[in-house]
Each structure stands twice: as C-alpha cells, then as structure tokens.
Amino acid sequence: MRGTYRGILMDAFFYLMPLIMVGIAVFMAVAIVRRSAQVRRAWLSGLTAEARCLRTYTTTSARGGDHRHVSTTLHHVYEFVTRDGRAVRFEERNGPPTVIEGDVVTVYYTPERPEQATARAPRPAANTLATAVALGFLGLIVLFCLSFVTDAHAFSDDFGWGDGMSVEDDPAPDVP
C-alpha cells in the first residue's frame, strides 16, 4: 500500500486509466461484431426491397485539443415496404456518398428485424476482413493496456512513485 497521496494518484493512473481503456475497447468490439452480424444476417436472409433515400446528412466530431482532428460521418435515411406490407424507415451510417435524396436502392433485411436493414451491397469477404482487422487492432489495445496494468507496480517503483527507500535504508554508506 502506498503511503503518500502522490503514490495513490500514480496507482490510480497506472491501474484505472488502462482498465477504462480496456472497457472502451471491449465495448467497441462488441458493437462492431453486433453490426457485422446484423449486416451478414440481412444479406443471408434473401429478402430485398426497393428503398427510397429520404434524407442524407453529415455529422462532424472534433477531438485532439490544439491539433484538432475533425471526422465527418455520412448518414442516409431510407424507407421501404416489407413483403408483408409494413413500411420501415431506417438510418445507416457511412453509406455510399453517391446516393442522394430521392435515389432508389436495394436494401437487404431480415423478416424479424427489418429496421436493421442495410443498403450495402453484399460483400461477405470484405465485411469479415474489416471486422477481423478492427478486432485485431482493438485486441492489441487490450493486450497493451493489460500488460501495462500488470507492470504498473514495477513502473511506479522504477520512477520513484512508490514507497521507495529512505536515506536511512541506504545499504551503501556515502563515500567521501
């Protein structure tokens, strides 16, 4: 147990921050796998419909402090009618930039959840590869963070943030 306030803060930094990053990476991995599975189910269901693009819009987000990085996401809102006559409206992110309001596109959907449809053309190999690459990257982040947590004690001792030694504990006397 660390005795100083500074040691407690360093412990919190070295243990909590990487664990929070692991939690975020796991959350992102679950979201990626879930969406990939939804798209794959829609493609494999064999159900298609003609959908009209009702609206397109973009959202922007900025991060990075002084060196701002701005990313833009394109959204499409589609509407189609299922085989049983139900009108369904759904939104899809990062769709093709060539689709504009009023365009008619083919959508793929499952009968159980037509609101999780996709206007993306079937590309199972590309979908699998993109999912694998994203999960591999997130896995590396998780491994790095977990190894950082396991080595945090060694870091804190090496940099003097732990209990350390006092002058009285010095095994080698000072040489004049």
Side-chain angles (χ1 to χ4, degrees), residues 16-28 141-142 144-145:
L16 291 179
M17 291 305 291
L19 292 177
I20 289 170
M21 291 171 63
V22 166
I24 292 169
V26 168
F27 176 79
M28 291 173 66
I141 290 173
V142 168
F144 174 77
C145 288

Side-chain angles (χ1 to χ4, degrees), residues 143-167:
L143 287 175
F144 174 77
C145 288
L146 291 178
S147 69
F148 195 83
V149 167
T150 58
D151 293 336
H153 184 72
F155 285 137
S156 65
D157 287 344
D158 289 346
F159 290 105
W161 296 321
D163 293 330
M165 294 176 60
S166 71
V167 175

Side-chain angles (χ1 to χ4, degrees), residues 48-124:
T48 62
E50 296 299 310
R52 180 168 305 279
C53 179
L54 302 177
R55 181 174 178 229
T56 62
Y57 66 95
T58 59
T59 56
T60 57
S61 61
R63 4 168 217 167
D66 292 340
H67 302 286
R68 282 203 169 301
H69 173 74
V70 177
S71 63
T72 302
T73 303
L74 178 63
H75 301 260
H76 292 89
V77 178
Y78 298 103
E79 186 173 62
F80 68 98
V81 177
T82 63
R83 288 191 180 170
D84 60 1
R86 190 168 38 147
V88 176
R89 185 178 290 190
F90 73 98
E91 180 179 325
E92 189 168 45
R93 295 173 41 174
N94 296 320
T98 55
V99 175
I100 59 172
E101 290 181 29
D103 283 355
V104 175
V105 298
T106 301
V107 295
Y108 303 84
Y109 69 96
T110 61
E112 310 84 46
R113 293 205 146 142
E115 66 280 353
Q116 293 178 348
T118 183
R120 293 189 176 107
R123 295 179 59 203

